[in-house]
Amino acid sequence: MGKSLFISLLLLIFIVTNLFGQQSEGGLPRKAITLKSAKIQALSMPQVNNEALRWESEQQAKEGLLKPFTFAHPFEVNLSPLTYGVWGKSEDGWWIWQLTIHSEGALSLNLLFEQFELQERSRLFLYTPDFQVIRGAYTWKNNSQDRVLTVTPVPGDEVVVQYETPYPPASTADFVITRVNHDYVGVLKYVDTRRPLGITAGDCNREINCDQADRWRELQNSVCRIMVLGKDLCTATLVNNTAENKKPYLLTANHCVNTPLKASTTLFLFNYESPYCGTLDGDVTNSLSGSKLKATLDSLDFALLELNTLPPPTFRPYYAGWTRSAQLTDTVACIHHPQGDVKKIAIDHDTPVIATFLSSFVKNAFWKVFKWDVGTTEFGSSGGPCFNRSGQLFGTLSGGAAVCSNPVNDYFARFDMAWSYKSDSTKQLKHWLDPAGKNPVSFNGKQFNSGENLCGEFTNLAEGDTHQLSLLPSPSIGYWTGTNNGGITEIADKFTIPGDEILSGLYLGIGRKYLVSMNSASYVKIKVYNLNQQTPVLLAEKDSVFLKNLTPDAMNY
């Protein structure tokens, strides 16, 4: 039986971002029949000052030791197809509702949908006015018990919301937009840079795919970035339970998620990492929306969530093991998303000690890391797991003083304290993580997918490699992987993987692009060959991957 796989292919293209989001059905929005007297109604948010908001966030960060990362300013709204926007029809007779939301100067916008209950066949899209980025289609399959939907941010300061339905407009709305979040930091990479302000993790941080992380290699797929209420970024970990029933429980910090509303509106991004030990930005397509808050306690700073949707095999999910032993050995590691950046690892070769953090927390309820030997943690790392040398989670990051220039004094909420410090099931981990009643001191993690559902990611990039543009040798002019006068129109990357495999997807790592115009129709073709025979056999071909939709210095799926 073959195994599914992903291939990370690095193409450095000197020519001149598109689709990503959580579980959606894809496709393109229908075109509405435009009437001369009608146009998409635009709604502008009150103007805010990005610089002032950034300064305010920086001051709050300096005053506190907790490590969530705030990137957006929220506007509370009440927008639905009953109150705003324009209704029209498509050529095939569907009803189409459109609304443009504008927030001057926003680097990206994200929306919160409540009372979300779509009818079968109806579709919801979000897109930029130039159609360069499209989210959706979201359908009735995205309905949840909480009736909430959170979507990945859309770049820029304007987003179009389009709802399509075969049914005439009713007297009740299928959703209400209750929040518009104005990104004043820049958490997306589009056109020029994922983070227009240059705010990324410090240079001392180590990529998760560096050799130093090999001891914890399997665990990296248990850690995800979380976006809470569309404005805060933290880290969380998928954890195993004694029934080993694939319940998608995630452990994070209480100061990140502490209410059912926050849990239901959280967006979980898996596999956001560089494909190798380098600075190539990661893929942002593997996200899920919504969860339920199962247990939390502010005085121990932990929160246990259950995802509304089981992570699919393509996310390569790993359910981490844990220990409630108070006896630790040396060498521990924290896997996290500092500044909301791609996944990093911090390593300490010493043994953490039991300590007290802030006065608002229970005394001696934390593990203290005195100094990181590799990397550090930063804002956005909150909730990140700390693993022992056996790969078992023993704490989650609350905060501390560590930064690149002085990586000292970080505090992790003790897993053993959260286990049963309180008898109330909504304030402890034991009830949820030990449904089999085994009461183990330690429990191992597990990869539940096997056979065709066991996905892997492969790349020819290795530690020490760099991605850069390569000029053709003189007297030729141009680049190996771009415009040139040498007649080179195709390049190839060979992967040798034993066994029969199923290719589920492919990433393009784009080093640089240049387009004379964003209306350019330039494109590349992607071909997949089987080289088992003497003559290559074409297995698949994808036409028209438009260059204007590719993001430079990043992975593009």
Side-chain angles (χ1 to χ4, degrees), residues 146-161:
D146 299 319
R147 301 177 68 199
V148 170
L149 178 72
T150 306
V151 299
T152 303
V154 174
D157 61 4
E158 198 162 84
V159 60
V160 180
V161 184

Side-chain angles (χ1 to χ4, degrees), residues 20-63:
F20 74 82
Q22 57 279 26
Q23 297 288 91
S24 62
E25 295 192 357
L28 297 173
R30 282 178 165 82
K31 291 185 178 180
I33 300 174
T34 303
L35 301 177
K36 290 182 178 180
S37 59
K39 60 181 179 180
I40 301 177
Q41 183 175 343
L43 179 67
S44 292
M45 297 295 103
Q47 192 160 357
V48 294
N49 186 307
N50 284 356
E51 290 188 11
L53 291 170
R54 288 194 291 271
W55 182 87
E56 183 179 341
S57 291
E58 289 170 2
Q59 298 309 304
Q60 291 175 351
K62 289 177 182 178
E63 294 170 3

Side-chain angles (χ1 to χ4, degrees), residues 125-198:
F125 290 94
L126 286 79
Y127 53 85
T128 54
D130 59 3
F131 289 96
Q132 290 303 303
V133 178
I134 301 173
R135 304 277 184 267
Y138 303 106
T139 69
W140 66 273
K141 294 179 181 179
N142 296 101
N143 295 347
S144 67
Q145 185 177 354
D146 299 319
R147 301 177 68 199
V148 170
L149 178 72
T150 306
V151 299
T152 303
V154 174
D157 61 4
E158 198 162 84
V159 60
V160 180
V161 184
Q162 177 165 318
Y163 183 48
E164 306 173 357
T165 178
Y167 316 107
S171 58
T172 58
D174 292 338
F175 58 83
V176 176
I177 301 170
T178 58
R179 180 178 291 212
V180 176
N181 289 300
H182 171 115
D183 174 8
Y184 54 83
V185 171
V187 295
L188 297 177
K189 181 162 189 172
Y190 278 93
V191 183
D192 293 315
T193 172
R194 179 174 294 277
R195 298 169 188 277
L197 303 174

Side-chain angles (χ1 to χ4, degrees), residues 34 68 99 102 105 184 254 268 316 339 370 416 461 469 494 508 556:
T34 303
L99 172 66
H102 177 81
Y184 54 83
N254 167 275
F268 302 85
R316 310 187 301 280
Q339 302 287 346
F370 283 100
D416 60 312
L461 291 166
L469 292 167
K494 180 181 178 181
L508 296 178
N556 294 259

Side-chain angles (χ1 to χ4, degrees), residues 131-403:
F131 289 96
Q132 290 303 303
V133 178
I134 301 173
R135 304 277 184 267
Y138 303 106
T139 69
W140 66 273
K141 294 179 181 179
N142 296 101
N143 295 347
S144 67
Q145 185 177 354
D146 299 319
R147 301 177 68 199
V148 170
L149 178 72
T150 306
V151 299
T152 303
V154 174
D157 61 4
E158 198 162 84
V159 60
V160 180
V161 184
Q162 177 165 318
Y163 183 48
E164 306 173 357
T165 178
Y167 316 107
S171 58
T172 58
D174 292 338
F175 58 83
V176 176
I177 301 170
T178 58
R179 180 178 291 212
V180 176
N181 289 300
H182 171 115
D183 174 8
Y184 54 83
V185 171
V187 295
L188 297 177
K189 181 162 189 172
Y190 278 93
V191 183
D192 293 315
T193 172
R194 179 174 294 277
R195 298 169 188 277
L197 303 174
I199 300 176
T200 55
D203 291 340
C204 74
N205 283 281
R206 296 295 287 171
E207 306 296 338
I208 188 61
N209 283 310
C210 291
D211 291 345
Q212 288 157 305
D214 282 349
R215 180 189 292 273
W216 300 276
R217 181 64 57 220
E218 197 168 33
L219 293 162
Q220 73 187 71
N221 291 330
S222 68
V223 180
C224 64
R225 189 183 79 176
I226 65 174
M227 184 176 75
V228 184
L229 282 176
K231 69 182 186 69
D232 296 322
L233 294 174
C234 287
T235 304
T237 311
L238 194 63
V239 291
N240 199 10
N241 70 78
T242 59
E244 296 196 313
N245 54 11
K246 293 178 65 174
K247 280 267 189 180
Y249 290 131
L250 286 111
L251 189 61
T252 189
N254 167 275
H255 71 266
C256 293
V257 181
N258 50 27
T259 67
L261 175 62
K262 287 185 176 181
S264 66
T265 58
T266 294
L267 188 70
F268 302 85
L269 178 60
F270 289 82
N271 311 125
Y272 180 43
E273 59 197 47
S274 172
Y276 77 116
C277 189
T279 57
L280 193 65
D281 213 340
D283 170 49
V284 285
T285 61
N286 296 337
S287 61
L288 298 172
S289 174
S291 66
K292 295 178 179 60
L293 182 62
K294 292 298 184 179
T296 190
L297 186 59
D298 54 0
S299 60
L300 293 180
D301 198 30
F302 81 89
L304 185 71
L305 317 176
E306 182 181 353
L307 289 172
N308 289 343
T309 307
L310 193 69
T314 51
F315 285 21
R316 310 187 301 280
Y318 182 81
Y319 292 68
W322 37 262
T323 181
R324 56 189 183 91
S325 171
Q327 304 299 319
L328 294 181
T329 58
D330 61 3
T331 307
V332 299
C334 176
I335 300 176
H336 58 113
H337 287 280
Q339 302 287 346
D341 205 348
V342 292
K343 198 176 296 177
K344 312 286 186 180
I345 188 167
I347 302 171
D348 177 24
H349 295 304
D350 297 313
T351 304
V353 299
I354 292 175
T356 297
F357 187 23
L358 303 177
S359 59
S360 57
F361 296 133
V362 174
K363 186 178 180 180
N364 291 327
F366 295 85
W367 291 105
K368 180 179 180 180
V369 171
F370 283 100
K371 186 175 183 179
W372 296 106
D373 295 303
V374 176
T376 188
T377 64
E378 300 185 65
F379 294 102
S381 302
S382 277
C386 205
F387 296 108
N388 61 21
R389 63 189 308 152
S390 299
Q392 295 166 330
L393 183 153
F394 65 86
T396 50
L397 182 67
S398 288
V403 291

